[in-house]
Amino acid sequence: SIGLFTSTRVRELLIPASVNRIGKYLVGSSNIEKLIFLHTGQNPISVEQWSFMIISAGGGTQSTLPDDFHMYVTESWWNGYLSRWWNGAGTGIYYQWNTTEGWFTSELVRSIVTFNPDWGQEDWQTFADTYKWTEDLVNKVRAQFGHPDAIEIKETNIIG
């Protein structure tokens, strides 16, 4: 029942665009809530079987991601790369999302949220409010895409 980030305090994990392969058992049984891919356009990546799973004590695979887990990908990567595989065109990314065999489950696919690193302050504010991103995280991600100028994200404490 071990994954790479099992029992760590890591909550946010940024995957640089230079990474072209995700191995087995990366985030299964972890506390990671935000898995952020910094890939754009046609940056290829191989996501191996069971990347989001762990081997259970009984020897089977299981997914044990936090309830509020989300995988974040850029709009250009999603639209220019990932969606073609799911439409059946096949682009060389190695995963299946509609199986229970330990690859991308439909629940994992539903966790995917797209973002645009070129958004302005208003769009980032809405995104940060919706997905609980801090100003620091927004600006860290923006900087990875060549936007060194920080933008202000106002903390909103919605009481409901």
Side-chain angles (χ1 to χ4, degrees), residues 19-22 37 39 43-47 77 81 93-94:
V19 171
N20 60 16
R21 181 175 167 266
I22 301 293
F37 286 89
H39 297 70
N43 293 118
I45 188 168
S46 171
V47 180
W77 195 50
Y81 193 72
I93 189 166
Y94 305 110

Side-chain angles (χ1 to χ4, degrees), residues 43-76:
N43 293 118
I45 188 168
S46 171
V47 180
E48 286 194 11
Q49 184 179 22
W50 304 308
S51 293
F52 302 96
M53 304 295 230
I54 60 168
I55 297 292
S56 68
T61 58
Q62 64 184 25
S63 177
T64 57
L65 296 170
D67 291 336
D68 48 358
F69 173 85
H70 284 293
M71 186 179 344
Y72 298 91
V73 302
T74 63
E75 291 174 349
S76 68

